[in-house]
Amino acid sequence: MSRFIFITGGVVSSLGKGLASASLAALLQARGYKVRLRKLDPYLNVDPGTMSPYQHGEVYVTDDGAETDLDLGHYERFSGVPARKSDNVTTGQIYMDVLTRERRGDYLGATIQVVPHVTDAIKTFVRSDLTDEDFVLCEIGGTVGDIESLPFLEAIRQLGNELGRERALFIHVTLVPYIAAAGEQKTKPTQHSVKELQSVGIQPDILLCRAEREIPVDQRRKIGLFCNIRPEAVIQALDVASIYDVPLSYSAQGFDGEVCRHFNLPDMEEKPNLARWEEISRIVHQPEGTVRIAVVGKYTSLLDSYKSLAEALAHGGISNNVKVELDWIDSEIFEREDAVSYLEDVHGILVPGGFGERGAEGKISAVTFAREHNVPYFGICFGMQMAVIESARNLAGIKGAGSTEFGPCDEPVVGLLTEWVRGNVKETRDADDDLGGTMRLGAYDCTLAPETQVREIYGADDISERHRHRYEVNINYMDRLEQSGLRFSGMSPNGELPEIVELPTHPWFVGVQFHPELKSKPFDPHPLFTSFIGAAVEQSRLV
Ligand code: GLN
């Protein structure tokens, strides 16, 4: 029977609750346990799919086609367990479910209330779709004290009672700030945050205290005393240089040991096997060189918008024993200024996923630069579409080439995706459809053509990758583009949707319609990122 670990946050947001949850999962795995990670998000959107990247950062897509919170990316990168639709729920989804049932008459005339109907729906979600997991880690989004998160806190409080201490654990992540003027660390915000949690009936079992500096033992004892927690269960979580040091650091502070102790597990005195994390940490801290990659995008002012991408590039560095430095460049710059001064020193150029016309011409200029100067180029989703438009205009001579995403266009080399097959089911869309949840989402198979670069990189004929797009490369232009040198090296199994293009005459020029960054892990870097960074290492020897 699964044990449940509930992780809440207090004092301020951005304390790294997601990373803490992901790291704890990795530590439990390192002790041989099977884990699952879930996120409960207190906002009213049904999912983050329709939210601006500036508001919410990246939308993480699962194999089964859910658009989810970016913390699920951390979960998957640290645990290797593929996230599913059933691993992220929002208040919006819970209410949609409750109200649909109310309209259907399922409540048999009852008055629908937050307690018990909404809280029951949350509890059902938390316990749904599980098999033989030893631990289910549930992170509650937001900060304790927010109005929005109250139903979630009430639901996990009830679950704590129903499951009993032997099957439920509450972890609270807080901040112990250092106040320079006083020259000391302050425990009061943590005390207040725990009080807040206690006022809704939850007594945390473990406190994970984020801090810039060591929290002296007597301070930890004080926190324990005021918060009704054993002092050993007040764990200091110090800032570390790389996120991949987090499991090592938290374990050294006894985090996973305390969790095992709470559940009275036989291995509580033993150390987990952290060889995997030690090796990653060693490479991250002692790289043999550095490569610079320009990421030419639109949401560069909020780097959380490209979370998985930045991590996947770092993983490509790990597999090549190099550090990857990223130059985030707002593509609109290239609409005013020449790309040369920005791009001449970089060892690789990447245009990531994106939406809308703004900055698109700048991205196309970056592609032209990469193609003409033989700089490794990696186009992801929108970045692939821009690469195809660039080839259409400048190699195939189709001057009016564009995407219908930007309005009507004479030569729609990229057009609205209106029909595709998922499993045995045909999906159809038109321009007036809702925006939420209607893209081509999730894992789809792709067949790689023989004797192509990607066939070599993957070492397989058939692959599966995650998608999130509404537009596609128009297959009617395929012949003309191939004649001018662009190779369509990956297609959907029915041969109808272009999935990968490459330029055989270029050292490394690949565009993919999917998002390979979503599946990359530090201990299992994605082959495309390994190969791209490898090409950048070659390029660094030339520049
Ligand atoms: N805007 C493009 C589309 O919808 C690309 C999407 C993306 O890059 N994720 O097809």
Side-chain angles (χ1 to χ4, degrees):
M1 285 235 274
S2 307
R3 302 172 184 88
F4 291 78
I5 300 176
F6 300 105
I7 300 127
T8 54
V11 184
V12 290
S13 58
S14 303
L15 282 181
K17 248 185 313 159
L19 271 175
S21 309
S23 299
L24 178 58
L27 293 172
L28 291 168
Q29 282 181 319
R31 290 172 174 272
Y33 295 110
K34 185 167 175 193
V35 299
R36 190 77 184 275
L37 287 135
R38 303 198 139 157
K39 175 100 193 264
L40 315 180
D41 273 314
Y43 52 75
L44 273 169
N45 301 61
V46 172
D47 62 41
T50 51
M51 285 192 222
S52 158
Y54 293 116
Q55 289 259 330
H56 196 261
E58 167 185 89
V59 173
Y60 190 77
V61 181
T62 59
D63 279 330
D64 56 2
E67 296 177 282
T68 70
D69 186 77
L70 58 77
D71 276 325
L72 273 79
H74 289 312
Y75 302 166
E76 194 168 324
R77 278 189 287 279
F78 277 70
S79 70
V81 179
R84 292 190 223 153
K85 193 181 183 62
S86 54
D87 292 329
N88 189 198
V89 82
T90 66
T91 300
Q93 268 169 49
I94 295 286
Y95 273 86
M96 199 151 88
D97 172 58
V98 169
L99 294 176
T100 308
R101 283 193 278 143
E102 185 274 337
R103 289 290 84 181
R104 239 183 4 226
D106 289 3
Y107 292 108
L108 305 175
T111 305
I112 311 305
Q113 295 179 299
V114 173
V115 183
H117 302 98
V118 168
T119 45
D120 278 356
I122 295 170
K123 288 193 290 182
T124 304
F125 167 81
V126 168
R127 301 180 81 159
S128 68
D129 193 23
L130 294 172
T131 47
D132 56 346
E133 288 81 0
D134 297 305
F135 292 98
V136 181
L137 288 79
C138 287
E139 178 189 347
I140 320 299
T143 308
V144 167
D146 297 346
I147 292 175
E148 278 91 351
S149 53
L150 278 175
F152 288 105
L153 296 178
E154 169 59 14
I156 62 170
R157 182 196 67 76
Q158 293 177 17
L159 272 172
N161 274 343
E162 288 163 25
L163 294 161
R165 253 189 90 71
E166 8 15 284
R167 284 190 61 208
L169 164 72
F170 292 94
I171 296 176
H172 191 50
V173 185
T174 72
L175 178 70
V176 178
Y178 177 79
I179 305 296
E184 57 180 72
Q185 283 170 311
K186 292 294 178 188
T187 63
K188 199 68 83 185
T190 294
Q191 295 178 38
H192 283 170
S193 180
V194 171
K195 236 185 215 148
E196 192 80 46
L197 203 53
Q198 288 166 338
S199 75
V200 295
I202 296 175
Q203 167 63 50
D205 302 296
I206 296 178
L207 278 187
L208 192 65
C209 302
R210 291 297 315 276
E212 281 172 47
R213 327 182 159 208
E214 288 272 326
I215 310 173
V217 178
D218 58 334
Q219 291 287 72
R220 273 183 264 163
R221 246 186 239 127
K222 180 175 163 191
I223 295 173
L225 192 63
F226 281 93
C227 298
N228 191 26
I229 292 172
R230 291 172 40 256
E232 304 81 52
V234 179
I235 311 281
Q236 57 173 347
L238 301 175
D239 293 353
V240 287
S242 155
I243 58 168
Y244 298 120
D245 293 333
V246 174
L248 297 173
S249 163
Y250 288 10
S251 187
Q253 296 295 334
F255 188 28
D256 50 315
E258 265 314 305
V259 171
C260 295
R261 192 173 186 287
H262 172 93
F263 290 115
N264 208 12
L265 299 177
D267 62 343
M268 59 188 170
E269 299 300 338
E270 288 163 32
K271 292 262 163 278
N273 176 2
L274 295 175
R276 167 191 269 190
W277 296 100
E278 282 155 2
E279 173 67 1
I280 292 166
S281 180
R282 187 190 61 73
I283 299 174
V284 168
H285 292 294
Q286 292 158 18
E288 284 165 11
T290 301
V291 293
R292 294 224 348 252
I293 303 294
V295 181
V296 182
K298 178 153 117 180
Y299 316 109
T300 47
S301 58
L302 180 71
L303 297 185
D304 264 1
S305 311
Y306 301 113
K307 195 83 219 158
S308 296
L309 179 71
E311 294 311 320
L313 285 162
H315 305 162
I318 291 174
S319 48
N320 285 281
N321 268 306
V322 293
K323 176 173 188 291
V324 179
E325 269 176 18
L326 301 179
D327 268 2
W328 299 96
I329 303 176
D330 181 347
S331 63
E332 279 184 287
I333 288 176
F334 300 146
E335 293 167 15
R336 300 186 297 268
E337 291 175 46
D338 193 8
V340 181
S341 60
Y342 290 90
L343 298 178
E344 61 188 348
D345 294 330
V346 302
H347 310 127
I349 297 172
L350 190 147
V351 175
F355 293 84
E357 187 167 19
R358 185 166 63 78
E361 288 301 324
K363 292 176 190 174
I364 294 171
S365 302
V367 181
T368 309
F369 181 93
R371 187 177 55 73
E372 291 180 344
H373 293 79
N374 282 331
V375 179
Y377 175 78
F378 196 178
I380 294 182
C381 205
F382 198 70
M384 175 230 201
Q385 297 171 357
M386 295 307 107
V388 173
I389 292 174
E390 201 277 336
S391 288
R393 288 184 192 168
N394 301 328
L395 294 178
I398 307 169
K399 289 292 165 229
S403 168
T404 58
E405 182 169 355
F406 316 145
C409 155
D410 291 343
E411 302 277 7
V413 170
V414 177
L416 185 70
L417 189 53
T418 52
E419 204 175 289
W420 67 92
V421 187
R422 180 168 192 101
N424 295 323
V425 183
K426 190 159 96 179
E427 302 249 0
T428 54
R429 299 283 187 272
D430 67 46
D432 300 327
D433 279 346
D434 281 356
L435 288 183
T438 54
M439 282 189 255
R440 180 170 176 248
L441 289 167
Y444 282 91
D445 292 340
C446 163
T447 308
L448 305 180
E451 286 165 44
T452 57
Q453 200 175 351
V454 285
R455 170 70 190 69
E456 188 135 313
I457 292 170
Y458 276 97
D461 295 321
D462 299 298
I463 57 165
S464 168
E465 293 281 4
R466 296 183 194 168
H467 294 68
R468 181 172 187 251
H469 63 123
R470 208 180 294 287
Y471 295 83
E472 61 163 337
V473 173
N474 184 342
I475 197 160
N476 296 326
Y477 287 91
M478 184 164 148
D479 287 347
R480 281 162 79 188
L481 287 163
E482 290 231 86
Q483 277 153 22
S484 61
L486 192 69
R487 181 90 204 266
F488 284 63
S489 48
M491 299 292 289
S492 59
N494 64 6
E496 286 177 7
L497 298 180
E499 295 275 21
I500 311 180
V501 294
E502 61 185 57
L503 267 181
T505 52
H506 189 283
W508 208 98
F509 188 105
V510 176
V512 296
Q513 184 58 76
F514 44 81
H515 290 275
E517 71 274 24
L518 301 177
K519 287 186 31 169
S520 188
K521 293 158 195 95
F523 43 81
D524 184 16
H526 192 286
L528 283 171
F529 284 91
T530 297
S531 177
F532 176 59
I533 298 301
V537 171
E538 289 299 313
Q539 180 72 11
S540 71
R541 301 205 171 108
L542 302 175
V543 180

Short mmCIF file of all heavy atoms in Angstrom, two decimals, residues 352-356 380-382 385 405 439 468-472 513 515, ligand 1:
data_model
loop_
_atom_site.label_atom_id
_atom_site.label_comp_id
_atom_site.label_asym_id
_atom_site.label_seq_id
_atom_site.Cartn_x
_atom_site.Cartn_y
_atom_site.Cartn_z
N PRO A 352 14.06 27.84 -30.19
CA PRO A 352 13.14 26.95 -29.47
C PRO A 352 11.69 27.10 -29.93
O PRO A 352 11.39 27.85 -30.86
CB PRO A 352 13.30 27.43 -28.03
CG PRO A 352 13.60 28.89 -28.15
CD PRO A 352 14.34 29.08 -29.45
N GLY A 353 10.80 26.42 -29.23
CA GLY A 353 9.38 26.52 -29.51
C GLY A 353 8.88 27.94 -29.26
O GLY A 353 9.49 28.70 -28.51
N GLY A 354 7.81 28.30 -29.93
CA GLY A 354 7.27 29.64 -29.74
C GLY A 354 5.93 29.79 -30.45
O GLY A 354 5.50 28.91 -31.20
N PHE A 355 5.30 30.90 -30.19
CA PHE A 355 3.98 31.16 -30.76
C PHE A 355 3.90 32.59 -31.26
O PHE A 355 4.44 33.51 -30.62
CB PHE A 355 2.90 30.93 -29.69
CG PHE A 355 2.80 29.49 -29.28
CD1 PHE A 355 3.64 28.96 -28.32
CD2 PHE A 355 1.89 28.65 -29.91
CE1 PHE A 355 3.58 27.62 -27.96
CE2 PHE A 355 1.81 27.31 -29.56
CZ PHE A 355 2.66 26.80 -28.59
N GLY A 356 3.22 32.79 -32.38
CA GLY A 356 2.92 34.15 -32.84
C GLY A 356 4.00 34.77 -33.69
O GLY A 356 5.14 34.33 -33.75
N ILE A 380 13.65 23.75 -32.79
CA ILE A 380 12.68 22.92 -32.08
C ILE A 380 11.28 23.49 -32.28
O ILE A 380 11.03 24.66 -31.97
CB ILE A 380 13.04 22.84 -30.58
CG1 ILE A 380 14.36 22.08 -30.43
CG2 ILE A 380 11.92 22.17 -29.79
CD1 ILE A 380 14.82 21.88 -29.01
N CYS A 381 10.38 22.70 -32.84
CA CYS A 381 8.98 23.05 -33.07
C CYS A 381 8.89 24.34 -33.90
O CYS A 381 9.13 24.29 -35.10
CB CYS A 381 8.25 23.14 -31.74
SG CYS A 381 6.47 22.86 -31.94
N PHE A 382 8.63 25.47 -33.29
CA PHE A 382 8.60 26.72 -34.04
C PHE A 382 9.94 26.93 -34.75
O PHE A 382 10.01 27.43 -35.87
CB PHE A 382 8.34 27.87 -33.07
CG PHE A 382 7.85 29.14 -33.72
CD1 PHE A 382 6.59 29.22 -34.28
CD2 PHE A 382 8.66 30.27 -33.75
CE1 PHE A 382 6.14 30.40 -34.86
CE2 PHE A 382 8.22 31.45 -34.33
CZ PHE A 382 6.95 31.52 -34.88
N GLN A 385 9.90 25.08 -37.88
CA GLN A 385 9.05 25.74 -38.87
C GLN A 385 9.77 26.95 -39.48
O GLN A 385 9.70 27.17 -40.69
CB GLN A 385 7.72 26.15 -38.22
CG GLN A 385 6.91 24.95 -37.73
CD GLN A 385 5.68 25.34 -36.89
OE1 GLN A 385 5.43 26.51 -36.62
NE2 GLN A 385 4.92 24.35 -36.47
N GLU A 405 0.04 30.86 -39.35
CA GLU A 405 -0.08 31.30 -37.95
C GLU A 405 -0.05 32.83 -37.88
O GLU A 405 -0.58 33.43 -36.95
CB GLU A 405 1.07 30.70 -37.12
CG GLU A 405 1.00 31.05 -35.65
CD GLU A 405 1.97 30.26 -34.75
OE1 GLU A 405 2.67 29.35 -35.25
OE2 GLU A 405 2.01 30.57 -33.55
N MET A 439 -4.31 21.49 -29.21
CA MET A 439 -3.16 21.30 -30.10
C MET A 439 -2.92 19.80 -30.31
O MET A 439 -3.55 18.96 -29.67
CB MET A 439 -1.92 21.95 -29.47
CG MET A 439 -1.91 23.45 -29.63
SD MET A 439 -0.35 24.17 -29.15
CE MET A 439 -0.80 24.89 -27.60
N ARG A 468 3.60 19.51 -29.17
CA ARG A 468 2.66 20.56 -28.71
C ARG A 468 2.62 21.62 -29.79
O ARG A 468 3.33 22.61 -29.73
CB ARG A 468 3.11 21.15 -27.38
CG ARG A 468 2.17 22.21 -26.86
CD ARG A 468 2.53 22.64 -25.46
NE ARG A 468 1.53 23.54 -24.93
CZ ARG A 468 1.72 24.85 -24.73
NH1 ARG A 468 2.89 25.42 -25.01
NH2 ARG A 468 0.74 25.60 -24.27
N HIS A 469 1.81 21.39 -30.82
CA HIS A 469 1.76 22.38 -31.90
C HIS A 469 0.41 22.37 -32.60
O HIS A 469 -0.34 21.39 -32.54
CB HIS A 469 2.89 22.14 -32.91
CG HIS A 469 2.82 20.82 -33.63
ND1 HIS A 469 2.77 20.72 -34.99
CD2 HIS A 469 2.80 19.55 -33.16
CE1 HIS A 469 2.73 19.44 -35.33
NE2 HIS A 469 2.74 18.72 -34.25
N ARG A 470 0.13 23.49 -33.25
CA ARG A 470 -1.13 23.66 -33.96
C ARG A 470 -0.89 23.75 -35.47
O ARG A 470 -1.77 23.57 -36.26
CB ARG A 470 -1.79 24.95 -33.47
CG ARG A 470 -3.29 25.00 -33.55
CD ARG A 470 -3.83 26.33 -33.05
NE ARG A 470 -3.62 26.58 -31.64
CZ ARG A 470 -4.27 25.98 -30.64
NH1 ARG A 470 -5.18 25.08 -30.90
NH2 ARG A 470 -4.01 26.30 -29.39
N TYR A 471 0.33 24.07 -35.83
CA TYR A 471 0.68 24.24 -37.24
C TYR A 471 1.69 23.16 -37.62
O TYR A 471 2.30 22.53 -36.76
CB TYR A 471 1.27 25.64 -37.48
CG TYR A 471 0.23 26.70 -37.21
CD1 TYR A 471 -0.01 27.15 -35.90
CD2 TYR A 471 -0.57 27.19 -38.23
CE1 TYR A 471 -1.01 28.08 -35.63
CE2 TYR A 471 -1.57 28.13 -37.97
CZ TYR A 471 -1.78 28.56 -36.66
OH TYR A 471 -2.78 29.46 -36.41
N GLU A 472 1.84 22.95 -38.93
CA GLU A 472 2.76 21.92 -39.39
C GLU A 472 3.35 22.35 -40.73
O GLU A 472 2.79 23.19 -41.43
CB GLU A 472 2.01 20.60 -39.59
CG GLU A 472 0.92 20.75 -40.64
CD GLU A 472 0.38 19.45 -41.20
OE1 GLU A 472 1.09 18.45 -41.14
OE2 GLU A 472 -0.74 19.47 -41.73
N GLN A 513 9.86 18.80 -35.20
CA GLN A 513 8.53 19.35 -34.91
C GLN A 513 8.12 19.08 -33.45
O GLN A 513 7.21 19.71 -32.93
CB GLN A 513 7.52 18.75 -35.89
CG GLN A 513 6.12 19.29 -35.78
CD GLN A 513 6.05 20.79 -35.98
OE1 GLN A 513 6.15 21.29 -37.09
NE2 GLN A 513 5.90 21.54 -34.90
N HIS A 515 9.25 18.12 -29.17
CA HIS A 515 10.03 18.74 -28.09
C HIS A 515 10.92 17.70 -27.40
O HIS A 515 10.53 17.16 -26.35
CB HIS A 515 9.10 19.39 -27.06
CG HIS A 515 8.41 20.61 -27.58
ND1 HIS A 515 8.99 21.86 -27.54
CD2 HIS A 515 7.22 20.76 -28.20
CE1 HIS A 515 8.17 22.74 -28.08
NE2 HIS A 515 7.09 22.10 -28.50
N1 GLN B 1 3.34 28.03 -32.91
C1 GLN B 1 3.72 26.81 -33.54
C2 GLN B 1 2.56 25.85 -33.69
O1 GLN B 1 1.57 25.97 -33.02
C3 GLN B 1 4.86 26.13 -32.80
C4 GLN B 1 4.48 25.65 -31.45
C5 GLN B 1 5.66 25.34 -30.60
O2 GLN B 1 6.77 25.77 -30.89
N2 GLN B 1 5.45 24.61 -29.53
O3 GLN B 1 2.63 24.93 -34.46
#
